[in-house]
């Protein structure tokens, strides 16, 4: 690669990377990585404590970019940086959506239940049970049978699959989704 002005060198490096040259891709990654980390840290809210931190999101965005690098419309370094920023921004938004669906992690004060008022603890347990029973009653018959086999009888996914004639993975997915829905209903109450 000839040496020239910095933008020409970057453009040449980008062109070589788009053409599949592994060394050019590695160099391009080394050049873009610090800027992408800076972007990710500025885009993520300070309160974000999701599964993926800023460096993870940068890695995901880079992997997505590298998968599509051959299709990149080469217009120069500035357009490539804009493309990287857009991919990263989309990843950050997706991560924030994933975390908001899961709810927030909060620290639990372990001393709340220790030596607490037994009457209050009993009322809270009764309320949770009532809300759960209401949510279970809203399940259709198929869901209720699966709930009873898994939770009431403690059957494994394989046992439920053998009992119902479904696949183990299908049963696992069905029950997981059903339990997630129940959890959401109980949490909303």
């Amino acid at each position: 690669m000839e040496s020239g002005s910095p933008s020409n060198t970057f453009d040449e490096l980008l062109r070589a990377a788009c053409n599949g040259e592994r060394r050019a891709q590695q160099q391009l990654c080394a050049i873009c990585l610090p800027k992408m980390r800076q972007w990710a840290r500025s885009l993520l809210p300070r309160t974000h404590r999701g599964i993926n931190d800023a460096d993870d999101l940068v890695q995901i965005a880079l992997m997505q970019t590298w998968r599509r690098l051959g299709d990149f419309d080469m217009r120069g370094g500035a357009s490539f940086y804009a493309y990287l920023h857009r991919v990263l921004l989309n990843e950050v938004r997706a991560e924030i959506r994933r975390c908001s669906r899961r709810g927030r992690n909060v620290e639990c004060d372990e001393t709340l239940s220790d030596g607490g008022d037994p009457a209050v603890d009993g009322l809270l347990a009764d309320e949770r049970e009532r809300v759960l029973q209401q949510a279970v009653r809203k399940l259709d018959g198929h869901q209720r049978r699966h709930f009873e086999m898994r939770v009431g009888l403690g059957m494994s996914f394989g046992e439920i699959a053998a009992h119902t004639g479904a696949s183990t993975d299908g049963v696992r997915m069905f029950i997981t989704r059903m339990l997630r829905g129940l959890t959401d209903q109980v949490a909303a109450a």
Side-chain angles (χ1 to χ4, degrees), residues 146 156-162 164-177:
H146 278 73
S156 70
F157 295 121
E159 291 170 330
I160 296 170
T164 61
S167 71
T168 302
D169 287 337
V171 167
R172 180 181 297 114
M173 185 173 285
F174 180 78
I175 290 175
T176 300
R177 287 180 179 160

Side-chain angles (χ1 to χ4, degrees), residues 13-165:
L13 185 62
L14 178 59
R15 192 171 295 109
C18 288
N19 289 330
E21 292 182 28
R22 186 95 171 130
R23 185 174 176 160
Q25 290 175 349
Q26 290 171 343
Q27 289 174 336
L28 191 60
C29 182
I31 292 169
C32 296
L33 195 58
K35 189 68 172 168
M36 289 185 73
R37 283 182 176 145
Q38 179 185 3
W39 289 337
R41 288 186 182 102
S42 70
L43 291 170
L44 275 173
R46 286 195 174 129
T47 58
H48 178 77
R49 298 224 193 300
I51 291 175
N52 295 318
D53 66 3
D55 288 339
D56 293 331
L57 295 174
V58 167
Q59 292 293 342
I60 293 167
L62 278 173
M63 286 175 19
Q64 287 182 357
T65 301
W66 258 234
R67 261 186 258 135
R68 297 185 203 120
L69 197 57
D71 299 331
F72 180 70
D73 184 17
M74 177 66 191
R75 286 186 243 146
S79 66
F80 184 69
Y81 271 111
Y83 179 74
L84 282 176
H85 190 268
R86 174 58 65 184
V87 172
L88 182 61
L89 180 61
N90 289 340
E91 273 309 307
V92 168
R93 287 177 176 160
E95 176 65 12
I96 291 170
R97 278 192 305 274
R98 279 189 294 271
C99 287
S100 67
R101 282 192 302 263
R102 273 188 228 113
R104 289 191 177 152
N105 293 334
V106 273
E107 300 235 355
C108 182
D109 185 357
E110 297 295 330
T111 62
L112 285 177
S113 64
D114 293 344
D117 186 351
V120 172
D121 291 343
L123 285 172
L124 290 173
D126 290 345
E127 179 63 15
R128 281 192 299 270
E129 181 66 27
R130 185 187 64 73
V131 170
L132 178 61
Q133 286 176 356
Q134 283 179 341
V136 169
R137 272 191 237 115
K138 291 179 184 176
L139 296 174
D140 64 35
H142 184 67
Q143 291 172 321
R144 205 172 300 131
R145 280 189 300 279
H146 278 73
F147 177 83
E148 182 58 33
M149 285 187 275
R150 180 69 179 159
V151 177
L153 301 175
M155 294 172 69
S156 70
F157 295 121
E159 291 170 330
I160 296 170
H163 184 73
T164 61

